Amino acid sequence: NFLNGLSVMFGACLIVAIEDMTNVAIGSILGVSGGVYIYISVAECFPRARESHKNARDKLISLISFVVGVVPIGLVLMDHKHCEAGDAHDH
């Protein structure tokens, strides 16, 4: 686990060190990173979660908990706007 954490820090330092990275390269890196998180959730977390749900009540509680977590994130992102080239702020 320590080496995995160290590889994340190495990757972050590498990205910060490369100053002229294109948007395509950044998008590709973010896409691969997102894919890794999805793989981990499906391969490691999902089977454990399925084993812990013994009845319909447990599944319903999990679904409600998921929705309670997702809805606020979605509400925050509904009005999010991306900056265009030439804007005066660094968002």
Side-chain angles (χ1 to χ4, degrees), residues 53-76:
H53 294 94
K54 303 296 181 197
N55 55 36
R57 180 177 178 270
D58 291 343
K59 291 178 184 179
L60 181 63
I61 290 172
S62 292
L63 178 63
I64 291 170
S65 299
F66 177 76
V67 170
V68 166
V70 168
V71 167
I73 293 170
L75 291 174
V76 168

Side-chain angles (χ1 to χ4, degrees), residues 13-71:
C13 292
L14 184 65
I15 296 303
V16 170
I18 300 173
E19 293 179 12
D20 59 344
M21 186 168 288
T22 65
N23 286 339
V24 172
I26 293 171
S28 298
I29 291 168
L30 289 173
V32 169
S33 301
V36 168
Y37 278 108
I38 291 171
Y39 171 76
I40 290 170
S41 68
V42 169
E44 296 292 330
C45 300
F46 188 69
R48 291 180 189 174
R50 285 194 62 136
E51 288 175 6
S52 68
H53 294 94
K54 303 296 181 197
N55 55 36
R57 180 177 178 270
D58 291 343
K59 291 178 184 179
L60 181 63
I61 290 172
S62 292
L63 178 63
I64 291 170
S65 299
F66 177 76
V67 170
V68 166
V70 168
V71 167

